[in-house]
Amino acid sequence: MREHLAGQREPRSAAEVTTALSEAHSGRAVKTTVVRTTLEGLVAKNQAQRTKQGTSVYYTATEAAAPERKQDAATEAPAPSGG
């Protein structure tokens, strides 16, 4: 989710993130409530920012999330064999 936010140029709502994740992972059921809770968790860890525009809430990745993304990508990638 953090990677998705980091790849966006504009703030995204929980509903927009849910739609994007649902399209990217068509075999999985993605619920907006779970996405919103996860986004709020990222805000609590200073890995995302929340902004309000009227009654809507939008999320963006913070700069602090950039180094973490590299670490996450390293742990998600399969280990090279023959080391």
Side-chain angles (χ1 to χ4, degrees), residues 2 6-7 10 30 37 43 62 69 73 77 83:
R2 184 174 50 223
E10 297 178 358
V30 181
T37 300
V43 170
T62 60
R69 279 190 305 132

Side-chain angles (χ1 to χ4, degrees), residues 3-75:
E3 286 183 26
H4 174 75
L5 277 183
Q8 304 304 305
R9 295 179 186 215
E10 297 178 358
R12 298 287 183 222
S13 69
E16 291 170 325
V17 173
T18 301
T19 300
L21 292 175
S22 294
E23 291 172 359
H25 305 282
S26 59
R28 302 184 81 181
V30 181
K31 296 186 179 195
T32 305
T33 54
V34 174
V35 170
R36 185 177 299 113
T37 300
T38 304
L39 290 169
E40 288 296 328
L42 292 175
V43 170
K45 294 177 183 178
N46 293 323
Q47 295 177 358
Q49 284 185 308
R50 175 192 327 109
T51 55
K52 284 190 86 172
Q53 295 178 4
T55 58
S56 300
V57 178
Y58 294 90
Y59 299 89
T60 53
T62 60
E63 294 299 320
E68 300 262 343
R69 279 190 305 132
K70 291 178 184 175
Q71 183 180 8
D72 287 350
T75 58

